[in-house]
């Protein structure tokens, strides 16, 4: 249609990829934080949610483990949903 490939890349392709890039970054960042916090914080009196869930499942506290898993899911979903909402607003303003 007469548009250069470079303009197509910046006007069409990159804005369509932006949602996946940001959500992947949020997911990757949350994974990195969990791994580092598990190694650093477990040595002292602190227990991370994943360690807490594992220890609860080893005992008889399956309900406590489910509650901790629900909190962990909520903590993970908040940045992803915020990024989705911000990017959706950005994509709608591009139209």
């Amino acid at each position: 249609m007469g548009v250069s490939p470079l303009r197509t890349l910046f006007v069409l392709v990159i804005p369509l990829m932006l949602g996946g890039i940001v959500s992947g970054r949020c997911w990757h960042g949350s994974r990195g934080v969990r791994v580092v916090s598990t190694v650093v914080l477990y040595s002292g009196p602190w227990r991370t949610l994943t360690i807490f869930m594992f220890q609860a499942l080893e005992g008889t506290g399956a309900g406590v483990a489910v509650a901790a898993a629900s909190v962990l899911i909520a903590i993970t979903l908040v940045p992803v949903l915020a990024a989705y909402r911000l990017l959706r607003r950005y994509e709608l303003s591009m139209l």
Side-chain angles (χ1 to χ4, degrees):
M1 304 208 106
V3 178
S4 71
L6 192 60
R7 181 162 167 83
T8 303
L9 176 72
F10 284 110
V11 173
L12 181 68
V13 176
I14 291 179
L16 288 174
M17 291 173 31
L18 198 57
I21 292 170
V22 172
S23 64
R25 179 63 188 122
C26 287
W27 180 75
H28 180 71
S30 67
R31 260 188 80 142
V33 168
R34 281 189 303 205
V35 170
V36 169
S37 65
T38 301
V39 171
V40 171
L41 295 177
Y42 189 62
S43 61
W46 302 95
R47 288 189 300 177
T48 61
L49 282 174
T50 52
I51 292 172
F52 184 75
M53 288 184 297
F54 181 71
Q55 289 175 344
L57 285 174
E58 282 183 335
T60 58
V64 174
V66 169
S70 300
V71 169
L72 187 60
I73 289 170
I75 290 172
T76 305
L77 276 179
V78 167
V80 172
L81 292 176
Y84 173 75
R85 186 170 183 149
L86 289 172
L87 288 173
R88 184 172 169 205
R89 186 177 308 144
Y90 172 74
E91 289 173 359
L92 289 176
S93 68
M94 296 277 298
L95 296 175

